[in-house]
Amino acid sequence: MKVVLISGTDHKGSTYHIARMLAEKVTSPEDIAEVFLPRDFGEFCLGCTTCFVKGEDKCPHYERLRPITEKIDAADVVILASPVYCYHVTGQMKALLDHYGYRWMAHRPDERMYRKQAVVVATAAGAGVKSTLKDMADSTFFWGIPQTYRLGRGIAATDWDSVKPKIKDGLNAKADKIAKTIRKREGKVPVPLKTRAFFRIMAMIQKNGWNPADKDYWIQKGWTSGKKPWKQG
Ligand SMILES: Cc1cc2nc3c(=O)[nH]c(=O)nc-3n(C[C@H](O)[C@H](O)[C@H](O)COP(=O)(O)O)c2cc1C
């Protein structure tokens, strides 16, 4: 199973440690690709909306983003990991996610997404884990990934070495549970009602969509005439 681990910081702190631990429970090290932000991508969205209207390949950052996009597309499991900064993801994680707005279900989701699984990972010194996990889970859901698991907590520390063994054990146990579920669902990821319902609504809207780039995409995929991206063939 291929895993991509996208870290919302350049440094290997508590959040990275937890995300890496999980990745290694899911697959072997040679199947784990890593991305560090902003080292591997540090651009802010310019707000030109070119990706939505003219195509993602016309984004001024398309070439710089491409290696990350290819890693995401090739992965069976996408791990997004960010420490809590002021109750939310780091600026660099948000800047990356903004560049994939065109891939949201309301626009042009990639069909490969519907067979992947995702994990969002966050740590805080104290509070803000829930809202930070949601920041990332919103993207994985709207990209079309049917299953997103959440792993994170306040760790009462600002570095991994100072985290109490009891907290580390708890995170380890939770990571074990998530990894087991991911392995069990490999190749047959359940698509929940929420994803199916949202997709169906989008298919109806796209029939008469306002944006030709999105509308043509949906028609060409056959999604406006009943085809579903999570069904093979
Ligand atoms: C700019 C900044 C903002 C932070 N905001 C919060 C916060 O809102 N709530 C909190 O509990 N901890 C906050 N922290 C602490 C980190 O979330 C915490 O130390 C986290 O475990 C660091 O993860 P890392 O080791 O992966 O970098 C903040 C730290 C920084 C540098």
Side-chain angles (χ1 to χ4, degrees):
M1 231 186 317
K2 283 192 179 305
V3 173
V4 61
L5 189 178
I6 302 180
S7 166
T9 66
D10 277 343
H11 80 121
K12 295 183 174 177
S14 305
T15 320
Y16 169 82
H17 268 92
I18 296 163
R20 180 76 201 189
M21 170 176 82
L22 175 84
E24 288 183 6
K25 288 177 192 292
V26 169
T27 198
S28 46
E30 62 272 17
D31 282 328
I32 304 171
E34 294 189 330
V35 173
F36 291 91
L37 304 171
R39 186 193 76 185
D40 297 326
F41 186 78
E43 304 293 342
F44 289 104
C45 171
L46 302 175
C48 61
T49 68
T50 303
C51 60
F52 294 120
V53 181
K54 292 187 183 155
E56 65 273 17
D57 55 334
K58 307 287 185 307
C59 168
H61 306 143
Y62 175 70
E63 283 303 332
R64 261 167 282 172
L65 190 63
R66 193 151 70 153
I68 300 178
T69 310
E70 286 173 356
K71 286 187 177 81
I72 293 172
D73 291 345
D76 302 295
V77 179
V78 178
I79 302 178
L80 300 179
S82 175
V84 174
Y85 280 7
C86 306
Y87 262 58
H88 291 281
V89 285
T90 59
Q92 52 270 41
M93 175 61 82
K94 180 70 168 72
L96 176 78
L97 297 177
D98 289 346
H99 282 82
Y100 291 121
Y102 76 89
R103 279 192 167 205
W104 277 40
M105 257 192 269
H107 298 284
R108 300 187 301 279
D110 188 294
E111 64 258 49
R112 288 166 288 191
M113 292 292 158
Y114 293 87
R115 288 187 275 277
K116 298 184 195 294
Q117 303 183 74
V119 189
V120 290
V121 181
T123 68
V129 169
K130 199 174 163 195
S131 44
T132 303
L133 291 174
K134 185 174 184 299
D135 286 342
M136 296 181 281
D138 281 347
S139 277
T140 57
F141 173 77
F142 284 110
W143 290 350
I145 298 182
Q147 297 290 336
T148 295
Y149 315 98
R150 297 170 194 237
L151 177 60
R153 58 162 295 166
I155 53 171
T158 48
D159 66 275
W160 186 238
D161 288 342
S162 316
V163 178
K164 289 200 178 96
K166 200 175 160 199
I167 293 178
K168 285 185 178 171
D169 289 348
L171 286 162
N172 189 45
K174 181 90 195 275
D176 270 338
K177 221 170 144 186
I178 293 172
K180 198 172 157 202
T181 306
I182 289 174
R183 287 198 308 269
K184 201 171 78 192
R185 290 175 164 174
E186 184 188 2
K188 44 181 188 315
V189 186
V191 180
L193 191 64
K194 191 179 162 197
T195 302
R196 290 168 190 267
F198 200 83
F199 186 87
R200 201 169 304 128
I201 293 165
M202 282 306 124
M204 283 188 305
I205 292 173
Q206 288 299 351
K207 267 187 191 163
N208 302 301
W210 62 272
N211 177 12
D214 295 347
K215 183 182 159 183
D216 293 350
Y217 181 85
W218 279 72
I219 292 171
Q220 179 246 318
K221 296 277 177 199
W223 295 344
T224 50
S225 19
K227 234 176 134 183
K228 303 285 186 289
W230 54 85
K231 291 198 174 144
Q232 307 277 2

